[in-house]
Amino acid sequence: MTLPKLKASQFTSDITPIWCPGCGDFHVLMSITKALANLGRPPEEIAVISGIGCSSRIPAYTNCYGFHGVHGRSLAVAAGLKVARPDLTVMAMSGDGDGFSIGGNHFLHACRRNVDMTYVVMDNRIYGMTKGQPSPTTEPDWDTALSPGGTGLSPFHPLVIALASGANFVAREFSGNIKACTQTIKQAVEHPGFSFVQILSPCVTFRPDEKEWKTQVHDASVPETDDPARAARRIMTDDGMNVGVLFRGDRKPYFASVRDGKRDLAPLEKAFEI
Ligand SMILES: Cc1ncc(C[n+]2csc(CCOP(=O)(O)OP(=O)(O)O)c2C)c(N)n1
Ligand code: SF4
Ligand SMILES: [Mg+2]
């Protein structure tokens, strides 16, 4: 089957983003729309679900179906939608605060459940929208007025957590590498099951130091693997800045039997009729 030729502009809405000039999220938006165009599915067959945060504004800036929802709950909404409408391509978009603080527990169980959808987290190691509080991925010695002397807390490691919790595709990219981000997002969407992509996306306003990320990111020294033990060994030496696909597994997605039409939900729906 020949796929229709689509352009990224067909996936962009007419709402102008209100992100700060230079915010990494602009690049993520470009990569998302390019990846969606390359998939060959029209915008009305795609749903983009988010929580709350600067990063979570993304659904409004795409032309797909979207839901800018409740802080930390993008995965619950996205999983419910995918199970109810398996024909749609479902993407959940989040930030490090939304996804790993208030939404942390949902992250674990979304990886474990392995519903066929893609989770993109724009990680700027800060709560950008609420003006710069430390997040779970903030370095322990990051010293500001809101965290005098640093939090002293060990940072959350999203790739380790995703791998240990059962995600079927795990990757990290840098927002400024639009080509690599586009390719990885497309692969994540095409891979069955729960795919997780952490995108290092600088907050130029509250973390100007992150402008240096473009000189600090580097390709991972070890290629991607389908072996969780090898992937785990690679991330034990992770410096937080290596990019690329880490792991591509072969777990069967949750509810595949429903998608194949083998389970009849009508009796259950009838039982709950009011
Ligand atoms: C239940 C609830 N608690 C707290 C908030 C306040 N709040 C809004 S966005 C946010 C953090 C956003 O950080 P992140 O997800 O990293 O997004 P960023 O703005 O950095 O892209 C918080 C704490 C809220 N909106 N709702
Ligand atoms: S506050 Fe930070 S994350 Fe939010 S739009 Fe500005 S640069 Fe981007
Ligand atoms: Mg953030």
Side-chain angles (χ1 to χ4, degrees), residues 18-25 54-55 124 126 128-129 202-206:
I18 58 164
W19 292 315
C20 310
C23 176
D25 296 350
C54 298
S55 38
N124 51 16
I126 196 173
M129 179 171 262
C203 172
V204 292
T205 298
F206 295 108

Side-chain angles (χ1 to χ4, degrees), residues 1 3 10 28 41 44 47 74 83 95 97 105 107 110 125 131 138 144 166-167 196-197 212 219 228 248 266:
M1 189 180 75
L3 293 173
Q10 288 172 262
V28 179
R41 295 198 81 181
E44 64 270 21
S74 65
V83 170
N105 194 38
F107 179 45
R125 301 185 184 166
K131 305 209 179 303
T138 304
T144 66
F196 169 60
V197 184
E212 292 310 311
D219 286 339
R248 216 183 283 249

